[in-house]
Amino acid sequence: MQQHGGGDASQRIARISAHLNPNKSQVRGFLGPQQLENALTGMDLVIIPAGVPRKPGMTRDDLFNINAGIVKTLCEGIAKCCPKAIVNVISNPVNSTVPIAAEVFKKAGTYDPRRLLGVTMLDVVRANTFVAEILGHDPREVDVPVVGGHAGVTILPLLSQIKPPCSFTSEEIAHLTSRIQNGGTEVVEAKAGAGSATLSMAYAAVKFADACLRGLRGDADVIRCAFVPSVVTELPFFASKVRLGRNGVEEIYPLGPVNEFERAGLEKAKKELAASIEKGISFANK
Ligand code: LMR
């Protein structure tokens, strides 16, 4: 019989996770580039959270030099081993890593824009929580669309479109917008060098992956915000509400009516997003 601490690292990962009670699924662990092919072959959904986290004072873009290469390698593996998988990119900077993934898939001839999604669910989770706090509502009953991207001013909560409808003072709007945009940084600072959000990120990742799986299963009306290849603005990628289905993103919704404050935010977001997207594309093609 094997000791609890024994076995190679991948066996240990599997053993740790095997305490979960997922319905009819099996947990297996894989480690290192040599096991990438085994990890990816036959997958319908691949979630990429890999990479280094921020430390206080860093922006997500400061992670580019390390994380860009990691995402590129993983996407090359996906193109080879499971080219039809839905891909959820969590690794930061998402505004650049999603364009990197797109370029890798294009080069491999496997690109299907419907199957590539940057995960911005944590922005929605935070927005729902902070808005519910102010309104005294249950956060599960609040729906705040968050569009744009996943970094600083590119995170654009559309507070004028909250469901159920509500209204805020301009001070509340400024406070909420800034808190939602800086939610990740708030955690990075609180952890004081020990990384960035883990629990809330895992929660958001599971919520989003579950939505993708529901779409794959054929459930109706699975609508979430995500950073996707898009024609909603003049930028090639943008986060907005999308409908998830059997092929991934089945429909991308327009932004809807935005007020003056949000329009100004949108212009700022697009400027930063354009640079981050371009940075990802040129990295993948160099
Ligand atoms: C987050 O939003 O918490 C993540 O993107 C991690 C980070 O660096 O902020």
Side-chain angles (χ1 to χ4, degrees):
M1 210 172 100
Q2 214 160 34
Q3 294 285 307
H4 263 57
D8 72 12
S10 59
Q11 287 169 332
R12 287 202 299 275
I13 296 167
R15 210 157 44 238
I16 293 163
S17 317
H19 293 196
L20 306 175
N21 63 342
N23 189 15
K24 286 195 216 146
S25 61
Q26 192 197 354
V27 178
R28 287 182 292 155
F30 299 93
L31 200 72
Q34 67 287 0
Q35 293 185 9
L36 187 59
E37 203 164 320
N38 283 347
L40 291 172
T41 302
M43 292 302 130
D44 295 316
L45 173 70
V46 178
I47 305 169
I48 307 183
V52 292
R54 290 197 274 162
K55 288 192 174 4
M58 290 170 87
T59 65
R60 290 178 181 84
D61 185 60
D62 293 330
L63 307 175
F64 186 95
N65 288 343
I66 299 179
N67 291 356
I70 296 173
V71 171
K72 186 165 178 266
T73 305
L74 293 175
C75 289
E76 284 162 354
I78 292 168
K80 188 169 160 219
C81 305
C82 52
K84 297 235 170 297
I86 306 282
V87 180
N88 289 179
V89 181
I90 295 175
S91 311
N92 274 317
V94 167
N95 295 351
S96 301
T97 51
V98 171
I100 291 173
E103 292 306 303
V104 171
F105 297 148
K106 277 183 205 167
K107 257 194 216 155
T110 65
Y111 185 47
D112 180 348
R114 298 171 302 176
R115 295 175 187 268
L116 174 60
L117 302 98
V119 179
T120 58
M121 189 81 208
L122 183 49
D123 301 317
V124 175
V125 166
R126 287 179 175 134
N128 291 349
T129 305
F130 302 155
V131 165
E133 233 166 58
I134 292 192
L135 296 176
H137 285 352
D138 180 336
R140 289 168 300 182
E141 276 151 30
V142 176
D143 176 30
V144 186
V146 184
V147 302
H150 180 64
V153 296
T154 73
I155 299 169
L156 188 63
L158 299 180
L159 300 177
S160 65
Q161 295 182 22
I162 294 176
K163 283 189 196 137
C166 59
S167 68
F168 293 114
T169 64
S170 42
E171 287 76 29
E172 284 171 332
I173 290 172
H175 164 77
L176 275 169
T177 302
S178 157
R179 178 131 196 247
I180 295 162
Q181 290 179 332
N182 295 304
T185 307
E186 202 179 290
V187 177
V188 169
E189 275 159 14
K191 290 180 98 167
S196 55
T198 43
L199 188 57
S200 54
M201 187 71 245
Y203 171 76
V206 167
K207 262 175 101 82
F208 191 71
D210 191 53
C212 290
L213 292 174
R214 284 180 49 205
L216 280 177
R217 196 171 64 189
D219 285 8
D221 296 329
V222 186
I223 296 167
R224 299 289 183 276
C225 288
F227 183 65
V228 294
S230 171
V231 291
V232 161
T233 68
E234 63 276 25
L235 299 173
F237 298 88
F238 199 79
S240 64
K241 281 199 170 179
V242 303
R243 185 167 56 79
L244 299 165
R246 292 199 190 276
N247 298 300
V249 176
E250 303 282 3
E251 192 176 353
I252 303 180
Y253 296 98
L255 296 185
V258 292
N259 61 29
E260 214 174 297
F261 178 81
E262 291 160 352
R263 218 178 347 268
L266 184 59
E267 289 316 308
K268 268 198 220 157
K270 284 198 293 188
K271 197 160 172 243
E272 184 173 319
L273 262 177
S276 306
I277 292 168
E278 186 43 45
K279 188 168 172 178
I281 293 174
S282 44
F283 169 84
N285 290 319
K286 85 177 172 226

